[in-house]
Amino acid sequence: MVHKKSTYIGRVFGIPIDVDYSWYFIFILLTWLLSAQYFPVHYPNWTNLTYWILGSLTSLFLFVSVLLHELGHSAAAKFFKIPVTKITLMIFGGIAQIARNPKKAGQEFWIAISGPVVNLILWAVFHSLASLFSSVSGIYAFCTYLAYINIVLAVFNLVPGFPLDGGKVLLALIWGFNHNLKKATIIAANIGRIFAFLFILWGALSITIGDIYDGLWLIFIGWFLDSAAAVEIHKTYQTHSNEAI
Ligand SMILES: [Zn+2]
């Protein structure tokens, strides 16, 4: 993937961090949704200023959660002495670009799973903080929403389809079993296409029962996963992907 439309915001542990312009759009949209819609409906007694401060902070921590996810992949890559070229954050998450492909199935497995594991840890932390501060509505709302975001990030990324982390975990497991990277990639990508088809089917069923908004989203995700799996199969005949998403 090529990302030219991004701005450099600094380095973390020596890794340059780029933010894609699409992320600014998501930040504004999510801040508005939380400050003007979600928080006022669920917590009607706050002041306007509180809604906007908490809305922006929650949006910002969605960004921090995605960044920590990518740093999870990066830490695992660095552990295996694989340099991380840069991290790009964008509309559906981020990419930690690594200098070379893992040479062993075990390395591929740990690099892929480290991102979702970070989100599971964040979910546990925010979930505990929400229970601890259940009487302080602002902190409770902030922590509950971030716990929710992190469990969604963990579960979605673990779906076994390319280019999601779950697809790479599956690839690593098959590779570890059959010791053939090319064949493992094709099997994993085809399993990914089955999951993509299930998303599309689920979306179509949702639309038939009147849930058009969720249905369209599911079809879009399914279509995205199917295209990505098809690209992965095509690429396998040339070179192996070097991006951990
Ligand atoms: Zn990831």
Side-chain angles (χ1 to χ4, degrees):
M1 287 186 214
V2 179
H3 299 283
K4 285 176 184 163
K5 294 177 184 170
S6 57
T7 42
Y8 168 77
I9 58 157
R11 284 171 183 265
V12 181
F13 303 125
I15 306 165
I17 314 288
D18 274 13
V19 176
D20 189 271
Y21 291 146
S22 63
W23 192 81
Y24 296 103
F25 169 73
I26 286 293
F27 175 77
I28 292 165
L29 183 70
L30 184 66
T31 301
W32 176 78
L33 279 173
L34 289 168
S35 313
Q37 311 277 326
Y38 181 82
F39 285 150
V41 169
H42 291 85
Y43 308 93
N45 302 321
W46 301 350
T47 62
N48 237 347
L49 184 67
T50 312
Y51 288 132
W52 284 96
I53 289 173
L54 275 177
S56 325
L57 270 181
T58 310
S59 256
L60 192 68
F61 269 79
L62 162 70
F63 171 84
V64 172
S65 300
V66 173
L67 178 60
L68 290 172
H69 171 114
E70 299 309 329
L71 287 171
H73 289 308
S74 307
K78 285 197 160 193
F79 179 82
F80 295 118
K81 311 251 180 301
I82 300 174
V84 182
T85 321
K86 71 168 177 178
I87 288 175
T88 306
L89 300 165
M90 54 187 170
I91 196 157
F92 287 125
I95 294 178
Q97 218 171 327
I98 55 181
R100 62 172 173 83
N101 298 318
K103 289 198 175 81
K104 292 177 183 164
Q107 296 181 354
E108 175 95 50
F109 175 84
W110 287 111
I111 294 170
I113 204 138
S114 297
V117 165
V118 166
N119 294 120
L120 286 175
I121 294 169
L122 289 171
W123 167 78
V125 168
F126 284 118
H127 187 71
S128 312
L129 285 174
S131 331
L132 209 64
F133 292 96
S134 57
S135 54
V136 189
S137 74
I139 300 177
Y140 176 80
F142 173 77
C143 292
T144 308
Y145 200 83
L146 282 161
Y148 164 74
I149 274 176
N150 276 287
I151 199 76
V152 168
L153 283 173
V155 171
F156 179 70
N157 278 294
L158 283 173
V159 169
F162 286 110
L164 301 174
D165 297 330
K168 304 242 168 184
V169 169
L170 183 67
L171 162 69
L173 292 174
I174 301 169
W175 182 14
F177 183 74
N178 77 355
H179 306 290
N180 184 325
L181 176 59
K182 219 170 198 179
K183 277 186 184 164
T185 308
I186 289 166
I187 296 168
N190 278 308
I191 294 173
R193 295 194 90 163
I194 296 170
F195 273 89
F197 171 73
L198 290 175
F199 267 97
I200 293 170
L201 191 68
W202 185 13
L205 287 173
S206 302
I207 290 174
T208 57
I209 59 161
D211 197 352
I212 295 168
Y213 179 77
D214 285 342
L216 286 176
W217 259 114
L218 288 164
I219 290 174
F220 175 73
I221 292 168
W223 168 78
F224 167 76
L225 289 178
D226 186 63
S227 318
V231 167
E232 195 69 27
I233 291 169
H234 183 74
K235 261 201 309 196
T236 304
Y237 294 104
Q238 302 159 6
T239 169
H240 186 63
S241 159
N242 68 342
E243 290 173 340
I245 292 199

